[in-house]
């Protein structure tokens, strides 16, 4: 093997994590967890579908004495490509099953079946409806007519063959791993509660594989669920906040997230995130003293850099986040749509 040794971390009690790099992404890497079972190793998430990431994953497993063909199963926290990307390759090499929550499996199925232009059409329609200026829509229309469309990640991702059922134990020989449905970041995100005593006897109820739901130093992106075929008015931020409270009540001894590092005091981190979102919603209400379209709100919201320095694709994600916050405020009765506006404007109540 070439290059530095893969970063393998032993968490005790038959649990390890491997750092699998995400190419060209500030997040750096996905923590793929390996769980020993009586029928062989099971992976929690797999990493980005890229040759270098695959090499890191296989080298990491080899360092634990695991050949990829030995992998028994793959449990996926959510459909994003930094978690589910390599699942197909693992299954090809091992025959492992792949388990996912039905709502995220639907997203995978839809993405695989979508005509190439569907997503661009949806995005252009949606951005126009939220008040995006014409110059923002031009590149989308150009990509549509030229046929030069960047392939969306996840277009060829593997279709899961097992369903993760909320509240139930996964069928893992010799382990107690319970699925906790935590929608918000995606509609079918799950955390996985390892209901076994902590190997270092830390106080609390076992450990939690938290995916992207609960991370020690990052607030996960909460946008809309973005389903071109479904006009149901969902409330992803409301889902996320409810899911956070549910996780906070588990009283786990340690959290094993899919990025950054393991940490304790899940309840404290949950409180921080709940406070953060409450502050953010209150801040938005201040902005909404004047009626604003979702686009105008996104431009005025606080991001990690000034709006004019936010790249094109990230602006689309930012608008989705602004919309998720508006949905929440409307649902709470703290904001409402202004009658007769098109694109529709919202104002604080
Ligand atoms: Zn994610
Ligand atoms: Zn992620």
């Amino acid at each position: 093997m070439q290059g530095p040794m893969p970063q393998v971390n032993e968490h005790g009690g038959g649990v390890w994590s491997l750092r699998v790099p995400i190419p060209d992404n500030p997040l750096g890497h996905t923590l793929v967890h390996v769980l020993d079972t009586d029928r062989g190793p099971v992976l929690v998430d797999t990493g980005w579908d890229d040759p270098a990431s695959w090499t890191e994953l296989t080298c990491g497993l080899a360092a634990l004495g695991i050949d990829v063909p030995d992998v028994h199963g793959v449990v996926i926290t959510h459909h994003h490509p930094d978690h589910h990307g390599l699942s197909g390759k693992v299954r090809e090499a091992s025959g492992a099953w792949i388990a996912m929550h039905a709502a995220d499996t639907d997203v995978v199925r839809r993405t695989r079946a979508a005509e190439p232009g569907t997503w661009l059409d949806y995005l252009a329609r949606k951005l126009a409806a939220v008040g995006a200026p014409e110059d923002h829509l031009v590149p989308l229309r150009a990509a549509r007519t030229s046929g030069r469309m960047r392939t969306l990640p996840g277009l060829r991702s593997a279709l899961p063959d097992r369903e993760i059922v909320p509240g139930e134990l996964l069928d893992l020989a010799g382990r107690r791993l319970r699925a906790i449905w935590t929608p918000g970041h995606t509609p079918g995100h799950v955390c996985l509660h390892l209901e076994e005593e902590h190997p270092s006897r830390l106080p609390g109820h076992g450990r939690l594989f938290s995916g992207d739901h609960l991370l020690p130093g990052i607030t996960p992106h909460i946008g809309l669920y973005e389903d071109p075929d479904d006009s149901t008015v969902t409330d992803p931020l409301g889902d996320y906040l409810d899911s956070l409270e549910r996780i906070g009540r588990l009283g786990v001894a340690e959290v094993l997230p899919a990025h950054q590092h393991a940490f304790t005091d899940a309840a404290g981190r949950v409180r921080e995130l709940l406070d953060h979102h409450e502050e953010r919603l209150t801040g938005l209400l201040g902005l909404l003293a004047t009626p604003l379209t979702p686009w105008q709100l996104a431009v005025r919201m606080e991001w990690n850099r000034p709006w004019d320095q936010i790249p094109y694709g990230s602006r689309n994600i930012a608008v989705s986040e602004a919309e998720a916050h508006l949905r929440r405020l409307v649902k709470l009765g703290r904001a409402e749509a202004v009658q007769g506006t098109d694109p529709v404007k919202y104002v604080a109540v």
Side-chain angles (χ1 to χ4, degrees):
M1 196 192 79
Q2 302 253 308
M5 273 297 286
Q7 303 222 33
V8 179
N9 199 353
E10 178 159 15
H11 296 281
V15 178
W16 298 264
S17 60
L18 314 174
R19 290 162 66 105
V20 176
I22 311 172
D24 304 321
N25 189 300
L27 265 181
H29 59 268
T30 305
L31 294 172
V32 171
H33 288 92
V34 183
L35 182 64
D36 199 19
T37 80
D38 292 345
R39 281 193 214 106
V42 165
L43 306 184
V44 179
D45 291 333
T46 53
W48 192 278
D49 186 6
D50 176 81
S53 311
W54 174 248
T55 303
E56 286 294 313
L57 177 64
T58 52
C59 288
L61 289 170
L64 298 176
I66 300 167
D67 290 329
V68 183
D70 301 337
V71 175
H72 174 60
V74 173
V75 178
I76 298 297
T77 59
H78 65 297
H79 72 83
H80 284 164
D82 51 325
H83 300 259
H84 181 44
L86 286 170
S87 306
K89 266 188 124 93
V90 171
R91 179 163 67 188
E92 259 169 52
S94 63
W97 45 262
I98 302 172
M100 189 183 274
H101 185 282
D104 268 30
T105 297
D106 280 351
V107 178
V108 173
R109 193 175 289 118
R110 197 169 68 225
T111 311
R112 287 167 59 101
E115 295 294 327
T118 308
W119 175 251
L120 284 177
D121 288 344
Y122 163 77
L123 208 55
R125 219 170 38 241
K126 186 200 104 154
L127 286 166
V130 299
E134 188 55 31
D135 64 350
H136 189 80
L137 300 174
V138 168
L140 283 176
R141 299 211 178 100
R144 184 72 173 99
T145 46
S146 72
R148 275 187 289 106
M149 292 169 287
R150 199 164 60 93
T151 310
L152 280 172
L155 215 53
R156 285 177 304 275
S157 62
L159 201 57
D161 43 42
R162 278 200 190 185
E163 185 176 335
I164 296 179
V165 181
E168 293 197 355
L169 288 172
L170 278 84
D171 181 19
L172 299 182
R175 312 285 325 219
R176 282 186 69 85
L177 188 68
R178 193 178 298 280
I180 318 282
W181 187 25
T182 51
H185 181 59
T186 69
H189 191 291
V190 291
C191 291
L192 299 140
H193 188 191
L194 190 59
E195 298 176 336
E196 300 168 3
E197 193 179 6
H198 192 279
S200 315
R201 302 195 187 279
L202 290 181
H205 297 290
R207 293 181 278 180
L208 187 76
F209 300 104
S210 66
D212 280 359
H213 181 64
L214 191 63
L215 300 163
I218 310 172
T219 311
H221 164 69
I222 310 294
L224 299 185
Y225 293 143
E226 311 288 12
D227 181 351
D229 306 320
D230 190 350
S231 56
T232 310
V233 180
T234 53
D235 176 17
L237 182 56
D239 292 347
Y240 178 66
L241 298 174
D242 287 349
S243 303
L244 271 182
E245 289 186 4
R246 200 169 324 131
I247 289 306
R249 285 195 295 268
L250 290 176
V252 297
E254 191 178 19
V255 180
L256 304 172
H259 303 288
Q260 301 192 302
H261 54 82
F263 62 101
T264 54
D265 193 18
R269 182 63 185 142
V270 163
R271 257 191 321 275
E272 269 176 24
L273 286 166
L274 290 173
D275 290 348
H276 163 82
H277 283 286
E278 186 52 41
E279 260 171 48
R280 192 139 207 228
L281 286 168
T282 305
L284 296 194
L285 280 178
L287 295 173
L288 290 168
T290 316
L292 297 173
T293 65
W295 179 275
Q296 290 169 330
L297 179 64
V299 170
R300 287 161 179 76
M301 278 168 78
E302 223 173 274
W303 304 105
N304 60 0
R305 65 199 117 168
W307 183 258
D308 56 14
Q309 286 168 32
I310 298 179
Y312 186 86
S314 304
R315 287 186 185 189
N316 295 338
I317 293 170
V319 172
S320 184
E321 200 152 319
E323 287 184 273
H325 283 78
L326 278 171
R327 293 250 178 112
R328 182 88 286 254
L329 288 172
V330 169
K331 197 137 189 193
L332 292 170
R334 292 159 81 182
E336 64 184 17
V338 180
Q339 290 296 319
T341 49
D342 181 22
V344 63
K345 291 187 174 180
Y346 293 86
V347 68
V349 176

